[in-house]
Amino acid sequence: MNILVTGGAGYIGSHTCIAAFAAGHEITVLDNLSNSSPEALRRVGKIAGKVPRLVVGDIGDRSVVKSLLDSEKFDAVIHFAGYKAVGESVSKPWEYYVNNISGTLVLLDEMRRHGLYNLIFSSSATVYGNPLPENLPLKESAPLAALNPYGQTKLWLEDVMRAMSAADPAWHILLLRYFNPVGAHESGLIGEDPAGIPNNLMPYITQVAVGRLKELTIFGDDWPTPDGTCIRDYIHVCDLAEGHVAALAKVAELPGCTPINLGSGSGVSVAQLVASFEKATGRPLPHKIGPRRAGDAAACYADASRALELLGWKTKRDSDAMCRDAWRWQSMNPKGYK
């Protein structure tokens, strides 16, 4: 298949390019490089033996999207492009609404104008809001809610895609709801390289370990969990990438708009993840206990049975592998791609 990958130079996108090449697909990346580096794609080439074609441009720029779809026939789109930091979305809601929503609407409009109806959308477990304990593990049918502008953009776009596919049966859309992607490619050549202070746990941990940050703050050790720290469903980024390749194989067979959780199906606490990381590095990780953070849930993890049923996919890598690979990436690249 010939695949257009928006945001393909980013963390999840670059890993997905490797998995897609391994499955025999051809890749064109559309990325404005606002939160990614072309170096990631050059390193994809070292791993995969071929470099994705890169078109530098924004999905919100209709002339760029139209020109790209005019010039080449694609079989499917994997749509990663979008801002993704929960905390930043609270301080910059306008930027998130404009970039994530307006840009995606341009992409969807040009796709239908060009008769391109196979779409794999990068959604998020944030669409479940703050889940109640009785709803765990989270099925795709669980109640949906958005607690921040980032989550609102994902949920609203899911609603748009549901409405479009209901109105036009030509659409085949898979809404892949990620839980907590972590880790890096086993080569150590590519990994997560966030701009500024990391918003997510694993890159914060790795930057503490490499000396870029002083210490990790664990937000509360008095949660109603076995060790008192929050529980999340962590998924190795390479498992996640393979989930997208599995979705590519099935998207044309699944009509309408189908939400699918991509998670491990089990939870790991923050304290357990820190312990796994200390095992990977062979030394203690500087950390302290802080107060609970507003808006956090005690636990959040997926029911991943639909992914197995529809895509034939499940995770293979455990938290020890996630930590080993994340540390290999960070220790080999202490300043990321810079």
Side-chain angles (χ1 to χ4, degrees):
M1 297 172 70
N2 191 23
I3 312 301
L4 174 62
V5 182
T6 71
Y11 172 48
I12 301 171
S14 58
H15 287 81
T16 298
C17 286
I18 293 170
F21 276 145
H25 300 298
E26 294 299 320
I27 302 294
T28 296
V29 168
L30 174 62
D31 200 307
N32 66 8
L33 303 179
S34 65
N35 193 32
S36 59
S37 170
E39 176 62 22
L41 297 183
R42 286 191 284 270
R43 296 189 185 189
V44 166
K46 292 182 179 180
I47 297 166
K50 57 198 308 186
V51 179
R53 173 193 176 202
L54 172 62
V55 176
V56 179
D58 197 286
I59 59 168
D61 186 335
R62 185 179 294 272
S63 64
V64 170
V65 179
K66 181 179 183 302
S67 175
L68 182 54
L69 297 186
D70 280 345
S71 64
E72 189 166 351
K73 179 176 175 56
F74 294 99
D75 299 299
V77 174
I78 303 178
H79 179 30
F80 292 115
Y83 296 153
K84 63 175 185 176
V86 168
E88 184 183 61
S89 77
V90 175
S91 61
K92 297 181 178 180
W94 177 255
E95 288 82 355
Y96 271 69
Y97 293 133
V98 170
N99 183 75
N100 292 9
I101 293 175
S102 297
T104 301
L105 292 181
V106 169
L107 176 67
L108 290 171
D109 191 30
E110 287 302 321
M111 285 179 65
R112 66 176 183 169
R113 288 172 183 269
H114 288 80
L116 176 54
Y117 291 104
N118 293 329
L119 174 65
I120 296 167
F121 176 55
S122 171
S123 191
S124 167
T126 58
V127 300
Y128 295 117
N130 195 336
L132 297 173
E134 57 264 31
N135 289 329
L136 296 175
L138 286 164
K139 293 181 177 290
E140 289 82 356
S141 57
L144 303 180
L147 303 180
N148 51 70
Y150 167 69
Q152 288 170 346
T153 66
K154 293 296 187 183
L155 185 52
W156 195 84
L157 288 170
E158 282 199 8
D159 287 340
V160 168
M161 292 174 190
R162 274 188 282 271
M164 291 180 64
S165 61
D168 185 349
W171 284 101
H172 294 250
I173 303 174
L174 298 183
L175 308 172
L176 302 187
R177 294 173 179 167
Y178 314 157
F179 277 68
N180 297 77
V182 296
H185 191 268
E186 63 182 5
S187 67
L189 291 175
I190 65 170
E192 189 168 10
D193 184 24
I197 302 297
N199 290 282
N200 296 321
L201 178 60
M202 183 61 85
Y204 204 102
I205 286 175
T206 62
Q207 290 191 20
V208 169
V210 83
R212 289 172 61 180
L213 296 171
K214 179 182 178 182
E215 65 183 355
L216 171 72
T217 298
I218 297 175
F219 297 109
D221 62 354
D222 58 349
W223 294 91
T225 63
D227 63 21
T229 63
C230 289
I231 291 174
R232 294 293 182 266
D233 189 338
Y234 297 99
I235 173 174
H236 196 294
V237 67
C238 291
D239 280 330
L240 186 59
E242 290 163 9
H244 287 79
V245 173
L248 282 173
K250 297 294 185 179
V251 63
E253 302 173 16
L254 297 171
C257 190
T258 307
I260 301 177
N261 289 335
L262 292 187
S264 71
S266 62
V268 174
S269 75
V270 174
Q272 288 173 322
L273 195 70
V274 168
S276 286
F277 193 82
E278 291 178 334
K279 179 180 175 182
T281 61
R283 61 177 186 264
L285 181 80
H287 65 276
K288 65 180 181 180
I289 305 298
R292 291 188 185 187
R293 185 170 54 183
D296 274 347
C300 182
Y301 52 95
D303 180 325
S305 57
R306 180 178 288 183
L308 181 60
E309 176 189 355
L310 296 183
L311 306 182
W313 173 91
K314 63 179 180 179
T315 59
K316 303 173 185 174
R317 300 160 177 91
D318 63 13
S319 58
D320 285 348
M322 298 173 202
C323 292
R324 283 196 306 270
D325 292 340
W327 176 235
R328 185 181 300 111
W329 149 255
Q330 193 72 82
S331 60
M332 289 174 59
N333 304 271
K335 295 184 178 181
Y337 291 116
K338 301 176 185 62

